[in-house]
Amino acid sequence: MPVLLEIDPDDPRPIYQKVADEIRSLIAGATLKPGDQLPSVRQIAGDLGVNLNTVATAYRQLEGEGLITVRHGARAVVAARRPAAAPARDLRRGLRNSLTQLVLAGWQRSAILTLVADELRELHKGGR
Amino acid sequence: MPVLLEIDPDDPRPIYQKVADEIRSLIAGATLKPGDQLPSVRQIAGDLGVNLNTVATAYRQLEGEGLITVRHGARAVVAARRPAAAPARDLRRGLRNSLTQLVLAGWQRSAILTLVADELRELHKGGR
Amino acid sequence: MPVLLEIDPDDPRPIYQKVADEIRSLIAGATLKPGDQLPSVRQIAGDLGVNLNTVATAYRQLEGEGLITVRHGARAVVAARRPAAAPARDLRRGLRNSLTQLVLAGWQRSAILTLVADELRELHKGGR
Amino acid sequence: MPVLLEIDPDDPRPIYQKVADEIRSLIAGATLKPGDQLPSVRQIAGDLGVNLNTVATAYRQLEGEGLITVRHGARAVVAARRPAAAPARDLRRGLRNSLTQLVLAGWQRSAILTLVADELRELHKGGR
DNA sequence: GTGGTCTAGACCACG
DNA sequence: GTGGTCTAGACCACC
C-alpha cells in the first residue's frame, strides 16, 4: 500500500494538525470517498515516524468534526454524510486571514483569484 | 476616537493573535497606511479588557514581521516599507486549508470564487 | 548535565538578552551544533534562578532569528539552516561601536587586533 | 557651521544613544579634540529634528563617562584627560557580541580581521 | 505620556 | 515531560 500522507517537517504547525489537514484535504478532493477505510493509526505513525498518540489525536479531531467514524478494533472509515459545517463565521475568518497575507505579500486581486481557482482545481485532482 | 479593533471572544485563538490579525488586516486593506500611528497599547488593552502585556505581545509580533515600527516612548507606527513576504509555500498552504474547509462545508466552486472576491473587496473598504 | 550558561548579574542588560547572547555565542562557536538539543526552559530558569517566562522570551527571540527551532512538547533544537543574516550595515555599526569604546579606553590599534584575534579563537573553543 | 552629526532613523536604538555614539566616535577618531566646543543642545536638536531633552540626555551620558564637560550657560567642551575606561570586562563583552554576529552571518575569520582594521582606519579619518 | 522588562502563578497544548 | 498563553502588578526607559 502506497504511503497516503506526507507532512512537511518545516511546517511549524502541530503534527497532529498537519495530519488532520492532509486527510481533510483528501476527503474534500474525493481521493477518499465515503465508506473508504483509512490507514491504521499504527500505519500512519510508522510511515511518518511520529508518535502513535499524535496520529490518534488527529483522528479524534476528524471524528469530532464528523468527517470520519472510528470504531474500536476496526479501521476508521470516511463518514457517509457530510457533517454540519463549521459556522460560516469561522470559515470566512480563516479565508480572510489567508487573503490578508497574500495582499500584504503584494499579490494583486486578479492574481489571487487565479490562484484560488488553481487551488480548487488541484484539490479535486488530489494534487499537492 | 472610535474603537479601532474588535475581537470575537468565541474565537478560540490566542488573544494576541486575534489582535495582530485584526491590525494586519487593517494594514492590508489600507485603513491603516504607512506612517499612521497605532493606538497605544494601553488604549487597546482598555478597549478590549485585556492585559497590557497581551497587546504588547501582538505589537511585538507585528514588529517582528516588519509591519509596524515601535520605539520607546513613542506611538507605534505603520512601517513604510513592505517587509519581505512569507515564502509563497506557506501562503498557499494557508489558502488551501481555508478552501478545503469551505469545500467540506458544501460550498460550490463558483460560490467560493464569489466569496473570495467579496472578501477582497471588503478588505479594501475596511469592512469586517 | 553540567550547567551550560552563566550570566553576569552586574551586566545591566535584560536577562533574556544575556541568555540569548550566550546561546548565540555558543552556536557561533559550534559548541552547539545544528540539530543539538537545547536545555529545557525549566532547566535554564532553574539554573539561573530566573522566571520561566524570561527564558522563554530568549528562546522566542532566537527562534525569530531562525537560529533555533521550537516545537510544542519537544526540546528546542539548533536550526540546520543558517538564517538570513542581519544587514551588513547593522553588523558594522555594532562592530564600530565596540571598537570606538576600545579606542576611548586607550587601547592601541595593534592591541585591538590582537584582542579580536583572541576573541575569535575563544569563540571557537567555547571559551568564556 | 556644517552639520556635525547624522543619525539613521532606521537604526532602532534610542535616539539619545545614537547621538552619544556619534559624538563618542568623533572623539575617538580625533575629529573632536580635547578643548573643542560641542554644538549647543539646541543646535543639534534643531539639526536632527528631535526633542531638546533627548540631546541633553546624550550629553549627560557623555559627561558621566568623563568624555565631555558641560557648564551652565557655556558650551560643552571635549574633556582634556582621557576618562577612566569602562571595565575591560564590558568592553570585551561588547566586542564579543559583535564578533558573534559576524560569525553567524558567515564571515570568515580573516575577513573579520580585515574589516576590523578597516574600521579602525576609518575611525581615525572621521569616516562614516 | 509612551513602550519594555520581569515576576508570580495558573492553565493549556503538544508529544 | 515539553513549550505557550494569559493575568496581575511593579518598576524601568524613553520622549
Side-chain angles (χ1 to χ4, degrees):
Chain A
M1 186 197 225
V3 172
L4 187 66
L5 306 177
E6 280 173 28
I7 61 175
D8 175 3
D10 290 347
D11 183 339
R13 292 174 304 158
I15 297 172
Y16 85 93
Q17 273 223 13
K18 294 189 278 190
V19 171
D21 276 351
E22 271 293 301
I23 295 175
R24 223 182 266 114
S25 176
L26 292 170
I27 295 174
T31 301
L32 289 173
K33 298 179 188 56
D36 282 0
Q37 287 194 346
L38 293 168
S40 73
V41 167
R42 228 174 211 83
Q43 170 89 42
I44 293 184
D47 287 350
L48 301 179
V50 303
N51 193 286
L52 288 177
N53 284 331
T54 306
V55 180
T57 301
Y59 273 33
R60 217 177 307 125
Q61 175 169 320
L62 292 168
E63 190 188 24
E65 296 170 8
L67 282 172
I68 68 175
T69 61
V70 296
R71 274 193 314 275
H72 223 85
R75 286 279 185 76
V77 300
V78 178
R81 292 195 319 105
R82 278 295 148 80
R89 195 178 61 247
D90 291 1
L91 295 179
R92 293 182 76 121
R93 191 147 50 208
L95 179 62
R96 164 162 311 197
N97 279 338
S98 297
L99 296 175
T100 295
Q101 300 278 7
L102 288 166
V103 170
L104 286 175
W107 288 63
Q108 300 297 322
R109 183 188 298 205
S110 56
I112 293 174
L113 286 168
T114 305
L115 178 64
V116 168
D118 279 0
E119 289 289 347
L120 286 173
R121 201 171 314 115
E122 281 197 28
L123 246 192
H124 287 280
K125 292 193 311 193
R128 174 159 295 114
Chain B
M1 187 196 219
V3 172
L4 187 65
L5 305 178
E6 280 173 28
I7 61 173
D8 176 2
D10 292 344
D11 184 341
R13 292 172 306 157
I15 297 173
Y16 84 93
Q17 281 270 6
K18 294 188 277 189
V19 172
D21 274 352
E22 270 294 301
I23 295 174
R24 221 181 269 114
S25 174
L26 292 170
I27 295 174
T31 301
L32 289 173
K33 298 177 189 59
D36 282 359
Q37 288 193 346
L38 295 169
S40 78
V41 168
R42 280 166 176 81
Q43 171 90 44
I44 293 184
D47 289 349
L48 300 181
V50 302
N51 190 274
L52 290 179
N53 285 332
T54 306
V55 180
T57 299
Y59 274 32
R60 219 174 303 129
Q61 174 170 320
L62 291 168
E63 192 193 20
E65 294 172 9
L67 282 173
I68 69 175
T69 63
V70 187
R71 276 200 318 274
H72 241 124
R75 284 278 185 79
V77 300
V78 179
R81 286 193 324 105
R82 279 297 147 75
R89 192 180 66 248
D90 294 358
L91 297 178
R92 290 183 77 121
R93 191 145 50 204
L95 178 63
R96 164 163 311 199
N97 279 337
S98 297
L99 296 175
T100 296
Q101 300 277 7
L102 287 166
V103 169
L104 287 175
W107 289 62
Q108 299 299 321
R109 184 187 298 201
S110 59
I112 293 174
L113 285 167
T114 305
L115 178 63
V116 168
D118 279 358
E119 289 289 345
L120 285 172
R121 203 172 310 116
E122 281 195 29
L123 248 192
H124 287 280
K125 290 192 315 194
R128 177 160 291 115
Chain C
M1 188 197 219
V3 172
L4 187 65
L5 305 177
E6 280 173 27
I7 62 174
D8 176 2
D10 292 345
D11 183 341
R13 292 173 306 158
I15 298 172
Y16 84 92
Q17 282 269 6
K18 294 188 277 188
V19 172
D21 275 351
E22 270 294 301
I23 295 174
R24 221 182 269 112
S25 174
L26 292 170
I27 295 175
T31 300
L32 289 174
K33 298 176 190 58
D36 281 0
Q37 288 194 345
L38 294 168
S40 79
V41 167
R42 280 168 176 80
Q43 171 89 43
I44 293 183
D47 288 350
L48 301 180
V50 302
N51 189 276
L52 290 179
N53 285 332
T54 306
V55 180
T57 300
Y59 273 32
R60 220 175 300 129
Q61 174 169 321
L62 292 168
E63 191 193 20
E65 294 172 10
L67 282 173
I68 68 175
T69 62
V70 187
R71 277 201 317 274
H72 242 123
R75 284 278 185 78
V77 300
V78 178
R81 285 194 323 108
R82 277 297 145 76
R89 193 180 65 248
D90 294 358
L91 297 178
R92 292 183 76 122
R93 191 144 51 204
L95 179 63
R96 164 164 311 199
N97 278 337
S98 297
L99 296 175
T100 296
Q101 300 276 8
L102 287 166
V103 169
L104 287 174
W107 288 62
Q108 299 299 320
R109 184 187 299 203
S110 58
I112 293 175
L113 285 167
T114 305
L115 177 62
V116 168
D118 279 359
E119 288 289 345
L120 286 172
R121 203 171 312 116
E122 282 196 26
L123 249 191
H124 287 280
K125 290 192 314 192
R128 176 161 292 116
Chain D
M1 186 197 230
V3 172
L4 187 64
L5 305 177
E6 281 174 28
I7 61 174
D8 175 3
D10 289 347
D11 184 340
R13 291 173 305 158
I15 297 172
Y16 85 93
Q17 272 223 13
K18 294 189 278 189
V19 172
D21 275 351
E22 271 294 300
I23 296 175
R24 223 182 267 114
S25 175
L26 292 169
I27 295 175
T31 302
L32 289 173
K33 298 179 189 57
D36 282 359
Q37 287 193 345
L38 293 167
S40 74
V41 167
R42 228 176 210 81
Q43 171 88 42
I44 293 184
D47 288 350
L48 300 180
V50 303
N51 193 286
L52 288 177
N53 284 331
T54 306
V55 180
T57 300
Y59 274 33
R60 216 175 310 125
Q61 175 170 321
L62 292 168
E63 191 189 21
E65 296 171 8
L67 281 172
I68 69 175
T69 61
V70 297
R71 274 192 315 274
H72 224 84
R75 287 279 185 74
V77 300
V78 178
R81 292 196 320 105
R82 280 294 150 80
R89 194 178 62 247
D90 292 0
L91 296 178
R92 291 182 77 122
R93 190 148 48 207
L95 178 62
R96 163 161 313 197
N97 279 337
S98 298
L99 296 175
T100 295
Q101 300 278 8
L102 288 167
V103 169
L104 287 174
W107 289 62
Q108 299 298 322
R109 184 187 297 204
S110 58
I112 293 174
L113 286 168
T114 305
L115 177 64
V116 168
D118 279 359
E119 288 290 345
L120 286 172
R121 202 171 314 115
E122 282 196 27
L123 246 192
H124 286 280
K125 291 193 311 195
R128 175 159 292 115

